[in-house]
Amino acid sequence: MRRKVRVSAPGKIILSGEHAVVYGFPAILAAVDRRLLLSIEKSNRLQVVPAKATDIVKRALGVVGKKFKEEDLEKLKVSLNSQIPIGCGMGSSAAFAVGITAGIFELLDQPKNLAIINECAYEIEKKQHGNPSGGDNTIVTYGGFLWYRKEGEGFKIFEKIKPKSAPTLWLINSGKPQENTGEMVAKVKDFYQQNPARVRSLFFESEKLTRAFLELLQGEKSYSLIDLLKENEAILDSLGVVSPKARRIIQKIEQLGGGAKVSGAGGIKNGSGIILAYHKDADLLPNFAKRSSLEYFKATLGEKGVTEEK
Ligand code: MEV
């Protein structure tokens, strides 16, 4: 066992296909330039900094520990330092699951096997969220842009997309959702059970848009980014994952001539987390966010996946 390791894992956004991806429809995800830094070192007991993360660290170590049957995983100091807003749809939990798994692999001097790290992180995510698609942990593991599809529990297909040009998007925080990802996935499931035909047609619509997004990234000019964001948002709103607060922000952006959508699980009672927004006037959205006292930042997409930091 090594004495100390440091790893970092990126946050993520979903350009198209959230929620539908849980049911086997495709999604496009991208890693962003906000990272979680984890340091893991040997200690005489389990210490977690910040202490409020102790439960999730214990749960994750339980999953990774089973892979190695290492009792020493109970005696570690795990420190977390994150630039990813927590619980806002930017993959904070996936970055943690992938980061801690990769960190333990490094600590135990295991060969860096991204497929195994990703699988293990997926198990941690399941403990956290119930029935995730596995898209979040996969983008955080591999980085870049991914086309992702979960065909079944043990069969997930993904492929790197190499965009001709990546759009410059702004991320605007509509507020931390009161509901977590597991609860939002469960709400969509209820809605699906009550209205199977309606929700299936929304998912097929989502797939059409995800394909259009792929073509846009590959340089086809037949689609406008603003229209794709707007249409995507309309599907998420129909699925019931957009809060009134987030809807008002998005409508305002549309009135100003831009396009925006919720990215990730969304939220209903308070905010819906991060909104992806685009306007061809580069200054307009940051000015709007400033005026509206909303947290915002420019997203650099396609960042590297989980990495050891020296
Ligand atoms: C959450 O970031 C994305 C969802 O599609 C859930 C999932 O894919 O597991 C809402």
Side-chain angles (χ1 to χ4, degrees):
M1 193 192 263
R2 290 164 60 185
R3 203 186 60 75
K4 181 171 180 177
V5 295
R6 279 157 39 90
V7 296
S8 78
K12 69 100 207 334
I13 52 111
I14 301 183
L15 280 173
S16 182
E18 53 274 89
H19 286 292
V21 69
V22 173
Y23 297 88
F25 293 86
I28 296 178
L29 305 99
V32 296
D33 57 339
R34 292 240 151 179
R35 300 185 82 84
L36 166 73
L37 185 68
L38 266 140
S39 96
I40 309 177
E41 60 194 298
K42 287 211 280 193
S43 175
N44 53 5
R45 65 197 159 92
L46 181 64
Q47 270 177 287
V48 179
V49 184
K52 62 174 189 237
T54 304
D55 284 350
I56 58 161
V57 168
K58 271 192 187 153
R59 211 176 305 143
L61 290 176
V63 175
V64 189
K66 267 198 212 120
K67 263 214 147 40
F68 296 112
K69 301 182 181 56
E70 276 278 342
E71 272 136 43
D72 279 357
L73 291 189
E74 285 157 22
K75 293 181 193 156
L76 295 175
K77 179 172 178 195
V78 180
S79 310
L80 311 172
N81 192 343
S82 187
Q83 307 167 324
I84 308 168
I86 293 172
C88 288
M90 277 189 67
S92 56
S93 91
F96 166 74
V98 172
I100 195 155
T101 307
I104 297 296
F105 272 63
E106 295 288 353
L107 196 77
L108 298 178
D109 250 337
Q110 295 292 314
K112 186 173 176 188
N113 183 326
L114 289 182
I116 298 178
I117 291 171
N118 190 30
E119 227 173 75
C120 198
Y122 176 60
E123 294 305 316
I124 298 173
E125 283 278 270
K126 280 203 285 191
K127 288 232 184 298
Q128 191 78 2
H129 302 305
N131 179 32
S133 64
D136 288 10
N137 47 277
T138 305
I139 186 66
V140 167
T141 302
Y142 292 91
F145 288 79
L146 283 184
W147 174 271
Y148 180 89
R149 192 161 193 148
K150 177 186 187 178
E151 300 294 346
E153 186 53 30
F155 195 75
K156 305 175 189 92
I157 296 171
F158 57 92
E159 171 106 11
K160 276 217 168 178
I161 302 168
K162 295 204 179 72
K164 282 245 165 66
S165 69
T168 303
L169 292 169
W170 291 91
L171 303 184
I172 299 178
N173 198 344
S174 72
K176 188 172 172 182
Q178 239 178 59
E179 306 82 359
N180 63 32
T181 299
E183 286 164 348
M184 291 307 296
V185 169
K187 278 190 197 298
V188 172
K189 186 176 175 194
D190 284 349
F191 185 37
Y192 195 2
Q193 279 166 350
Q194 284 154 22
N195 302 276
R198 165 94 179 114
V199 174
R200 263 193 94 64
S201 89
L202 288 170
F203 287 163
F204 277 113
E205 202 51 41
S206 162
E207 172 159 357
K208 257 180 26 202
L209 287 176
T210 304
R211 290 183 184 285
F213 249 110
L214 177 66
E215 290 180 22
L216 184 79
L217 288 174
Q218 287 172 331
E220 303 235 347
K221 295 278 180 266
S222 38
Y223 298 100
S224 113
L225 175 58
I226 292 184
D227 288 346
L228 290 183
L229 289 169
K230 282 186 187 168
E231 287 176 39
N232 232 284
E233 172 59 21
I235 291 176
L236 294 172
D237 207 343
S238 302
L239 284 173
V241 301
V242 181
S243 72
K245 188 176 169 198
R247 188 179 304 123
R248 275 195 299 276
I249 299 170
I250 290 167
Q251 281 169 351
K252 191 82 207 147
I253 293 171
E254 290 182 1
Q255 282 160 15
L256 292 167
K261 72 176 276 282
V262 160
S263 169
I268 303 168
K269 290 191 192 126
N270 181 26
S272 301
I274 284 293
I275 290 171
L276 295 186
Y278 174 77
H279 195 288
K280 52 182 187 313
D281 173 350
D283 296 327
L284 191 134
L285 290 174
N287 288 338
F288 159 73
K290 251 184 259 165
R291 270 200 318 275
S292 318
S293 308
L294 295 166
E295 183 192 13
Y296 68 96
F297 39 95
K298 196 173 180 175
T300 304
L301 303 184
E303 290 292 297
K304 63 181 180 207
V306 69
T307 313
E308 179 167 16
E309 302 283 339
K310 294 293 171 201

